[in-house]
Amino acid sequence: MSIQVIKPDYNDPLKYYRLTERFVGGSNSSGYAGQNRWWRAGTNPQNMGSPAAVAGAFGIKGIAALTATDDFTVWTQLYNDVGSIRPGLSLTIRVRPQAGAFSNDAMFSFGIQGSRLVAPRVAATMDFLGFRYDTGVDTNWHLVVKDVAGGAGAESTVNLGAVDTTNWTTYRLVYTATGVDGYTNGVLKGTAALTHLDTARVWFTAMSAYNVSASGASQRICDATLLDLIVPTGGW
């Protein structure tokens, strides 16, 4: 007797909200960038860069911060696009920060958050669920769960490993009933506690670049080729 395994249809709009960005499109400016027409905010916010496709990546855009300390750019869907979250949520990104001064003294983040005007650094008082690289902490990527109710620095993290500015790296998180699992290139790296996860709010899908310290005249740039967010709706 054979056993049939029925896989979820993540493209069923009654059961799942799905936002997939392949970082292609005819413009890099606010309201038009990428497939999903991202909106831009921040301090001296920058348009997305548009590198040519390379081995291992297809559509590519660079998330950039300008050259002064505390310059930053946050890209969101302008209005809250995630009405609520529940176990079964997943987020996958495929990224490669640019080498040298472009990723030194920098913060990059990809996830969902409670504000479209704030970058989710450690000291930020905000809700955030996603991935962060911040040289103010170390030179590793982390899965981060932040809670505005806990105040500045209220977060749970999982170390996902050292930044790689040569190869494309795929990071994935999965929200379950017992925690948030973090993966690097398909390998489970750990599980973040749900202590700082706010499930009672609505969210923006967001990407950020932040200049931690102006140690040169370079922008801080992280190239991205995939962002795939899947959220169960609770529908039938």
Side-chain angles (χ1 to χ4, degrees):
M1 181 179 67
S2 63
I3 298 176
Q4 182 181 12
V5 178
I6 300 176
K7 296 182 178 180
D9 180 4
Y10 294 123
N11 293 313
D12 183 340
L14 291 176
K15 295 181 179 179
Y16 298 94
Y17 170 70
R18 186 169 195 171
L19 186 145
T20 301
E21 179 59 63
R22 297 307 304 255
F23 295 96
V24 296
S27 176
N28 300 319
S29 60
S30 186
Y32 299 95
Q35 293 172 294
N36 291 290
R37 301 170 69 92
W38 298 82
W39 285 79
R40 188 189 67 193
T43 299
N44 298 316
Q46 299 297 291
N47 284 350
M48 292 186 187
S50 187
V54 297
F58 296 85
I60 304 172
K61 290 192 184 297
I63 312 304
L66 199 55
T67 57
T69 299
D70 295 328
D71 281 344
F72 72 97
T73 305
V74 180
W75 292 93
T76 70
Q77 288 297 294
L78 180 62
Y79 297 109
N80 301 96
D81 60 303
V82 179
S84 61
I85 61 173
R86 65 192 75 234
L89 176 152
S90 69
L91 173 65
T92 303
I93 64 169
R94 189 164 173 80
V95 295
R96 185 181 66 182
Q98 293 191 14
F102 298 107
S103 57
N104 292 338
D105 301 310
M107 188 284 293
F108 305 119
S109 68
F110 298 81
I112 57 174
Q113 58 190 58
S115 170
R116 65 176 298 265
L117 303 175
V118 183
R121 300 203 65 201
V122 173
T125 302
M126 64 185 299
D127 291 308
F128 176 76
L129 172 61
F131 306 100
R132 183 181 67 205
Y133 163 75
D134 190 339
T135 58
V137 178
D138 57 25
T139 56
N140 297 337
W141 282 92
H142 293 262
L143 162 64
V144 179
V145 185
K146 288 183 71 69
D147 180 14
V148 67
E155 59 182 41
S156 302
T157 66
V158 172
N159 191 327
L160 299 176
V163 65
D164 191 335
T165 58
T166 301
N167 303 297
W168 292 92
T169 306
T170 301
Y171 300 101
R172 184 168 185 256
L173 66 80
V174 179
Y175 167 30
T176 74
T178 57
V180 183
D181 297 333
Y183 298 82
T184 302
N185 290 330
V187 177
L188 178 64
K189 294 296 185 178
T191 301
L194 300 178
T195 308
H196 298 297
L197 183 61
D198 184 353
T199 60
R201 67 161 310 113
V202 293
W203 304 77
F204 298 91
T205 305
M207 308 175 288
S208 300
Y210 195 104
N211 191 326
V212 173
S213 177
S215 57
S218 298
Q219 292 187 342
R220 302 324 193 243
I221 304 173
C222 182
D223 291 338
T225 187
L226 173 68
L227 181 150
D228 190 26
L229 173 68
I230 299 172
V231 186
T233 65
W236 28 263

